C-alpha cells in the first residue's frame, strides 16, 4: 500500500495515498475555513499588519478599535459576509463601502454597535440577506428604500428611531428587530394587521383609541390582553392561536363589548368548547359574525 504522505502546500494540508473521497472532503472543508478570517477581539486600530488574501469569503473584525475601512477589503470580490460589530466606525468611516463594487456579492453585512447616525448606503449589494445596524445612534430609517428587496433579516434595535418608514418593499423579510427605539404608537390608527408574526403576548395596543379592526391571527397567543380600554373595536381576528378559554373574555374586550360585530377565534382550543358560539353572542350582544358564521 502506498505510504501516506502528510505535508503542507500553499497554507493547506495535503494528504496523499489512500485518502480517497474522505481526504478530498476534509481538504475542501479546510480550504473553506482558510477562506474565513476571524480577527474578533484583537483590539486592532488598523489592519496594516494583517495579511488579507483576496479569496476570502468571510471577514469578521468584531470587537476591535477600527474606525476606517482598509482599502484592501475593496478587492475581495468573493467576500460574502462582512462583520464590523463593536468598533468605532462613524458614517464617514463606513461611507467608502458604498462605492466598492467588487463587493457586490455580499449577502450579510453587520455594522452593529458602532457610532452610525444614518442608515449606510448599501444599495450596490443586490443579493443582501442580512443587514444589522443595531446599537448605533440612528434616528431615521431614511435610506432603507435603497436596500435590496432580497433582504430577509433586518436588525435596527437600540437606536433612536422615531418613525417606521421605507419598509414596504421588503416582501421577503422574515425578521425585523426594532426594539429599544423611540417609536410611539400612532393614536389615529384605525386598522392594524399583525398576523403571522409569532407574537406571544398582546401589548402596546391600549393607546390605539381609534382602532376599528385588529387582526392578530395566526400567532402564538394564549390569552387576550391590552385592548380592554379600546372602545371602537368592531372586528377582532384572533383565529389560529392557542387561546384555551373564553373565561374573562368579557373583561378583556370590555371597552368594545357593545361595539364588536365580528370576532374570529376558530382553530383555537376555545373554539371547541361546548356552547362556544352562544357564549360569545351572550357576551357581545351586537355580534353579526363569529368565524365564518354570519347572522343578523
Amino acid at each position: 500500500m502506498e505510504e501516506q504522505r502528510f505535508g503542507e502546500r500553499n497554507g493547506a494540508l495535503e494528504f496523499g495515498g489512500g485518502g480517497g473521497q474522505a481526504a478530498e472532503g476534509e481538504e475542501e472543508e479546510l480550504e473553506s475555513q482558510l477562506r474565513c478570517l476571524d480577527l474578533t477581539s484583537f483590539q486592532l486600530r488598523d489592519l496594516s499588519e494583517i495579511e488579507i488574501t483576496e479569496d476570502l469569503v468571510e471577514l469578521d473584525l468584531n470587537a476591535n478599535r477600527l474606525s476606517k475601512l482598509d482599502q484592501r477589503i475593496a478587492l475581495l470580490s468573493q467576500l460574502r459576509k462582512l462583520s464590523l460589530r463593536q468598533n468605532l466606525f462613524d458614517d464617514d468611516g463606513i461611507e467608502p463601502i458604498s462605492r466598492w463594487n467588487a463587493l457586490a456579492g455580499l449577502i450579510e453585512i453587520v455594522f452593529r454597535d458602532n457610532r452610525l447616525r444614518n442608515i449606510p448606503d448599501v444599495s450596490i449589494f443586490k443579493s443582501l440577506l442580512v443587514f444589522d445596524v443595531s446599537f448605533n445612534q440612528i434616528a431615521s430609517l431614511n435610506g432603507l428604500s435603497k436596500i435590496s428587496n432580497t433582504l430577509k433579516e433586518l436588525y435596527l434595535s437600540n437606536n433612536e428611531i422615531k418613525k417606521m418608514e421605507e419598509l414596504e418593499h421588503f416582501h421577503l423579510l422574515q425578521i425585523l428587530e426594532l426594539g429599544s427605539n423611540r417609536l410611539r404608537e400612532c393614536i389615529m390608527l384605525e386598522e392594524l394587521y399583525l398576523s403571522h408574526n409569532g407574537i406571544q403576548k398582546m401589548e402596546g395596543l391600549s393607546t390605539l383609541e381609534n382602532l376599528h379592526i385588529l387582526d392578530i391571527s395566526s400567532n402564538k397567543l394564549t390569552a387576550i390582553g391590552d385592548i380592554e380600554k379600546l372602545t371602537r373595536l368592531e372586528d377582532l381576528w384572533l383565529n389560529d392561536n392557542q387561546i384555551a378559554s373564553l373565561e374573562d373574555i368579557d373583561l378583556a374586550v370590555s371597552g368594545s363589548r357593545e361595539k364588536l360585530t365580528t370576532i374570529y377565534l376558530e382553530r383555537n382550543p376555545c373554539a371547541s368548547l361546548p356552547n362556544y358560539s352562544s357564549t360569545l353572542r351572550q357576551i357581545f350582544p351586537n355580534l353579526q359574525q363569529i368565524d365564518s358564521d354570519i347572522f343578523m
Side-chain angles (χ1 to χ4, degrees), residues 194-195 199 202 205 214-219 221 237-238 241:
L194 297 169
S195 64
I199 298 171
M202 295 173 64
L205 301 169
L214 174 60
D215 180 357
I216 197 166
S217 59
S218 300
N219 281 288
L221 298 174
W237 295 57
L238 293 160
N241 277 286

Side-chain angles (χ1 to χ4, degrees), residues 89-91 94 111 114-118 120 136-138:
F89 288 100
D90 58 14
D91 294 339
I94 289 295
F111 295 146
N114 278 279
R115 299 177 176 179
L116 304 181
R117 293 184 176 275
N118 298 286
N136 279 283
Q137 302 166 27
I138 298 171

Side-chain angles (χ1 to χ4, degrees), residues 233-277:
L233 206 57
E234 297 176 2
D235 284 32
L236 179 58
W237 295 57
L238 293 160
N239 53 284
D240 297 279
N241 277 286
Q242 300 167 17
I243 300 169
S245 174
L246 295 177
E247 186 176 356
D248 296 330
I249 191 174
D250 55 334
L251 298 177
V253 197
S254 57
S256 299
R257 187 173 180 178
E258 304 289 330
K259 194 75 172 177
L260 201 69
T261 59
T262 299
I263 188 169
Y264 274 77
L265 279 164
E266 58 188 347
R267 291 181 294 280
N268 280 275
C270 66
S272 299
L273 294 173
N275 304 318
Y276 160 68
S277 181

Side-chain angles (χ1 to χ4, degrees), residues 119-226:
I119 298 292
D121 183 356
V122 292
S123 56
I124 64 172
F125 308 112
K126 303 302 183 183
S127 302
L128 197 60
L129 301 178
V130 179
F131 187 52
D132 187 347
V133 288
S134 52
F135 289 85
N136 279 283
Q137 302 166 27
I138 298 171
S140 169
L141 297 183
N142 184 31
L144 280 186
S145 61
K146 298 179 181 179
I147 297 178
S148 172
N149 60 6
T150 58
L151 203 65
K152 291 187 176 181
E153 300 180 19
L154 176 58
Y155 300 92
L156 297 158
S157 60
N158 285 270
N159 280 287
E160 300 177 7
I161 299 164
K162 299 179 181 179
K163 181 181 179 181
M164 292 180 64
E165 56 187 341
E166 300 191 23
L167 293 165
E168 296 85 357
H169 67 298
F170 293 130
H171 302 300
L172 301 178
L173 203 62
Q174 297 175 356
I175 298 176
L176 173 60
E177 176 58 69
L178 276 163
S180 298
N181 276 284
R182 297 187 177 182
L183 294 169
R184 296 293 181 267
E185 298 283 1
C186 177
I187 61 173
M188 299 303 294
L189 202 64
E190 295 185 358
E191 300 181 13
L192 180 59
Y193 301 90
L194 297 169
S195 64
H196 298 88
N197 274 292
I199 298 171
Q200 298 181 3
K201 182 180 181 181
M202 295 173 64
E203 54 189 350
L205 301 169
S206 60
T207 60
L208 306 181
E209 299 176 355
N210 292 305
L211 205 61
H212 290 261
I213 299 175
L214 174 60
D215 180 357
I216 197 166
S217 59
S218 300
N219 281 288
K220 297 181 179 180
L221 298 174
T222 58
I224 305 170
D226 204 32

Side-chain angles (χ1 to χ4, degrees), residues 11-29:
L13 297 181
E14 178 184 6
F15 295 89
Q21 294 182 349
E24 292 177 4
E26 291 174 359
E27 189 171 349
E28 289 177 0
E29 181 178 355

